Amino acid sequence: MSSLPALDNFLKKYHQAYIDRLGESPRYYPQGENSVCIEGEFDTDSSTDETVTWRPVKRDETGTFSNVDSALEITLRSEIDDFYGAYFSAPLLFDSKWGDGELLQVWNDTDFEYLQQNIIGHLMMKRKLQQPPTWFIGVLGDGDRMLTVDNSDGSVWIEIPGEQPCEKLGDSLNEFIASLTPRVAPPELHIEESMPELDHPGIWHRIKLMWRNLRGH
């Protein structure tokens, strides 16, 4: 178990929910991106509209955000390493008392690099807006509301891009994840316009849309 046991538990429940409901592992559109999560053989030249079945895989070595700390002269809470650095996984769909949503995860090493760039961009914009630092963990609903962690105390909030966090959802990331229920649903293929500075398919579609809105402020 990691120091974020609710995530360990949620990942186990997530995979089992798909087995129980559909008789197979969750499906995902990798769009040419390989991952240790993929079950069976994977052809990197396969069509972008083909799905794969996958399961979360514990990383041999936890990914860290120490380079982000150094780049921005900030100390991010250790939970960010526990949340994003412990596993390789597709995004995780959930139901909650606040509505349905999606927890972001890292599909492969390239995703982790893009994630770090996006976290840096988000923190730089918070600094520009003279707002306390937060870092995102997912989205609610159609993606216009981010789920963020307050870096000062670890609490989880709803945050509209460009604004201060507006609704507290939990005192800690572990508490928040423990309140969620896995949502069994068909995979969604994201077709998006190219954004060269953040060009990456699939997993960051919603975050990129929010980041684009944020840059307009």
Side-chain angles (χ1 to χ4, degrees):
M1 298 287 283
S2 73
S3 55
L4 197 60
L7 179 61
D8 299 317
N9 189 46
F10 187 83
L11 286 166
K12 292 176 183 177
K13 292 194 301 181
Y14 193 86
H15 186 264
Q16 191 61 48
Y18 278 79
I19 297 295
D20 293 343
R21 183 81 62 85
L22 303 179
E24 67 173 9
S25 298
R27 287 189 172 272
Y28 181 62
Y29 288 99
Q31 300 189 59
E33 292 285 335
N34 202 356
S35 173
V36 295
C37 299
I38 295 174
E39 297 179 324
E41 298 295 322
F42 176 66
D43 181 3
T44 55
D45 295 324
S46 61
S47 172
T48 57
D49 60 0
E50 293 182 15
T51 63
V52 296
T53 57
W54 67 275
R55 64 173 59 234
V57 174
K58 186 81 170 178
R59 295 179 63 165
D60 293 332
E61 184 175 341
T62 300
T64 75
F65 286 76
S66 57
N67 59 331
V68 177
D69 290 357
S70 299
L72 298 181
E73 297 182 341
I74 188 174
T75 300
L76 294 176
R77 298 184 64 87
S78 62
E79 293 97 315
I80 194 170
D81 294 344
D82 300 325
F83 183 75
Y84 282 124
Y87 291 89
F88 287 117
S89 168
L92 305 169
L93 308 178
F94 67 80
D95 290 316
S96 74
K97 62 183 179 181
W98 306 283
D100 61 37
E102 181 178 311
L103 294 177
L104 295 173
Q105 284 290 284
V106 173
W107 185 241
N108 54 26
D109 287 327
T110 301
D111 257 340
F112 193 69
E113 294 175 7
Y114 276 96
L115 165 66
Q116 291 176 320
Q117 293 174 21
N118 280 298
I119 292 287
I120 288 174
H122 174 76
L123 289 167
M124 288 179 65
M125 186 57 65
K126 297 296 286 185
R127 185 174 292 178
K128 176 182 177 182
L129 296 173
Q130 298 183 331
Q131 296 176 1
T134 62
W135 37 273
F136 52 76
I137 58 168
V139 294
L140 275 179
D142 293 332
D144 58 337
R145 294 172 295 165
M146 289 190 293
L147 297 169
T148 61
V149 174
D150 184 326
N151 198 57
S152 66
D153 64 6
S155 56
V156 179
W157 294 74
I158 293 174
E159 182 176 327
I160 307 299
E163 300 179 8
Q164 297 272 19
C166 59
E167 182 180 350
K168 187 177 181 180
L169 306 183
D171 290 331
S172 69
L173 184 52
N174 201 67
E175 176 187 297
F176 172 71
I177 296 173
S179 72
L180 306 178
T181 302
R183 177 161 57 94
V184 177
E188 183 177 353
L189 176 60
H190 297 298
I191 303 297
E192 59 196 86
E193 66 179 84
S194 179
M195 295 176 63
E197 71 276 20
L198 293 173
D199 191 20
H200 188 55
I203 187 172
W204 302 118
H205 172 71
R206 293 183 177 182
I207 288 297
K208 282 164 42 173
L209 291 178
M210 289 185 292
W211 173 236
R212 180 165 54 200
N213 292 337
L214 196 61
R215 291 174 66 215
H217 284 263

